[in-house]
Amino acid sequence: MELRTLRAFVEVVRQGGFSPAARTLFTTQSNVSKAVKSLEEELGCQLLDRIGHRSVLTEAGVIVHERAQAMLAAADSLVDELDALRGMRRGTLRIGLPPVGSDILFAPLLARYRAKYPQIDISLVERGGRTLRDMVLSGELDLAAAMLPVDEEQFEWKPVRTEPVDALVNLAHPLAKQKQVSLRELADTPFVLFESSFALNQVILDACHRQGFAPRVAVNSSQIDFIVELIAVGMGVAFMPRLIARQRSHPRVRRIALDDAALEWTIAMIWRRGGRLPQTAQAWLDLVR
């Protein structure tokens, strides 16, 4: 059953005849007659009684006319929705952001996105990098911000920002006056790390392994400000990207550069390799660039 034949049939009923319907559809009366006849043959019943120059619905025609109107309305609605989607007048941005750094890097971008596309819904998930990667792979998120490296066979990405990682120690720490420190020098100090779902943790632990030791972890937390307060009361040493550490200055906490050049925090927007990004997500990437 073709929408073309349904539209011709509905227009004949609306206009009360084949000739006015043909004029409305910008075609010939013959074409309209053929379309209605084709529909009748396909359905196996007569839909119109031709009475002089008028066409009147049969009982079957009443049923088909009602359903045809609904089908045409649904088709028109579908076209309208797709046009709205293409024109960014509707849709949803499904995005994941980590707690570390998002306030500085992405809050201004979210505000700009909302201003540019006010009719797009934003579905935001805030989790650690490992959880966000899993959610992208499962299709729960279109894209997410995560720390590199990621699996090249699973993800595509666009880098956003690279920062060195600094150590945070209490002012009373023996190394507090140094401008630079190695992880090996901090081996006897308890580590205050983020929760295990944060990708930065594994980067720190891998760097310690390369320097020949396994750190003693005092506590894990997902709250940046709480971690800074723990360092301020002498709980141990914490590690943060410099961009974040600068924003969390504390009178009893000293920020020291690490001498490991390989220890960097590179944040990127990631999405599933081979997956087709919706236009809402592509618009976000364009803004990030």
Side-chain angles (χ1 to χ4, degrees), residues 223-270:
Q223 303 297 318
I224 297 176
D225 291 335
F226 183 53
I227 290 176
V228 172
E229 288 298 332
L230 289 176
I231 303 307
V233 297
M235 194 78 170
V237 57
F239 304 91
M240 292 185 189
R242 185 167 298 168
L243 176 73
I244 314 303
R246 283 174 173 168
Q247 295 287 326
R248 300 302 200 280
S249 61
H250 191 290
R252 296 195 302 276
V253 174
R254 175 72 189 277
R255 177 172 55 85
I256 310 173
L258 290 173
D259 68 358
D260 189 342
L263 192 54
E264 291 184 327
W265 178 79
T266 298
I267 198 78
M269 297 307 306
I270 66 169

Side-chain angles (χ1 to χ4, degrees), residues 10-260:
V10 168
E11 198 61 34
V12 169
V13 176
R14 181 182 293 120
Q15 300 298 331
F18 287 80
S19 294
R23 289 193 294 270
T24 303
L25 295 171
F26 301 101
T27 186
T28 65
Q29 181 178 336
S30 175
N31 285 339
V32 174
S33 296
K34 288 177 181 178
V36 174
K37 184 175 178 58
S38 173
L39 183 61
E40 289 178 325
E41 290 176 349
E42 183 178 359
L43 296 175
C45 57
Q46 185 177 344
L47 303 178
L48 294 168
D49 278 332
R50 284 75 168 177
I51 303 175
H53 296 293
R54 295 176 60 248
S55 297
V56 181
L57 285 170
T58 64
E59 286 186 325
V62 171
I63 296 173
V64 174
H65 180 251
E66 182 180 341
R67 294 298 182 90
Q69 285 182 306
M71 292 170 68
L72 291 171
D76 290 341
S77 177
L78 173 62
V79 172
D80 289 342
E81 287 187 30
L82 292 176
D83 285 344
L85 191 62
R86 284 188 287 265
M88 294 292 288
R89 298 191 302 277
R90 64 171 297 166
T92 301
L93 172 66
R94 302 186 307 158
I95 186 171
L97 298 177
V100 179
S102 292
D103 55 341
I104 301 172
L105 290 178
F106 299 113
L109 289 176
L110 280 172
R112 288 174 59 190
Y113 189 93
R114 168 62 67 198
K116 191 171 184 179
Y117 307 109
Q119 294 173 297
I120 300 299
D121 294 328
I122 299 176
S123 176
L124 174 62
V125 174
E126 296 176 279
R127 297 286 190 278
R130 288 184 178 179
T131 301
L132 292 180
R133 291 199 296 267
D134 290 342
M135 293 182 74
V136 170
L137 287 178
S138 69
E140 296 173 78
L141 296 173
D142 296 317
L143 72 175
M147 186 177 174
L148 296 182
V150 293
D151 189 335
E152 294 186 14
E153 294 184 358
Q154 294 181 314
F155 297 101
E156 297 182 61
W157 67 86
K158 289 289 183 185
V160 177
R161 181 77 172 248
T162 297
E163 287 283 321
V165 176
D166 288 341
L168 301 182
V169 298
N170 184 274
L171 284 179
H173 192 280
L175 301 175
K177 293 184 179 180
Q178 293 190 198
K179 293 184 178 180
Q180 193 174 65
V181 67
S182 69
L183 283 172
R184 194 71 187 81
E185 290 176 281
L186 296 167
D188 294 330
T189 303
F191 279 26
V192 177
L193 298 178
F194 289 103
E195 289 185 348
S196 58
S197 63
F198 287 64
L200 181 59
N201 273 18
Q202 193 59 50
V203 172
I204 297 293
L205 295 175
D206 289 346
C208 292
H209 180 73
R210 289 196 300 271
Q211 296 195 23
F213 74 99
R216 177 164 54 94
V217 179
V219 67
N220 296 86
S221 174
S222 63
Q223 303 297 318
I224 297 176
D225 291 335
F226 183 53
I227 290 176
V228 172
E229 288 298 332
L230 289 176
I231 303 307
V233 297
M235 194 78 170
V237 57
F239 304 91
M240 292 185 189
R242 185 167 298 168
L243 176 73
I244 314 303
R246 283 174 173 168
Q247 295 287 326
R248 300 302 200 280
S249 61
H250 191 290
R252 296 195 302 276
V253 174
R254 175 72 189 277
R255 177 172 55 85
I256 310 173
L258 290 173
D259 68 358
D260 189 342

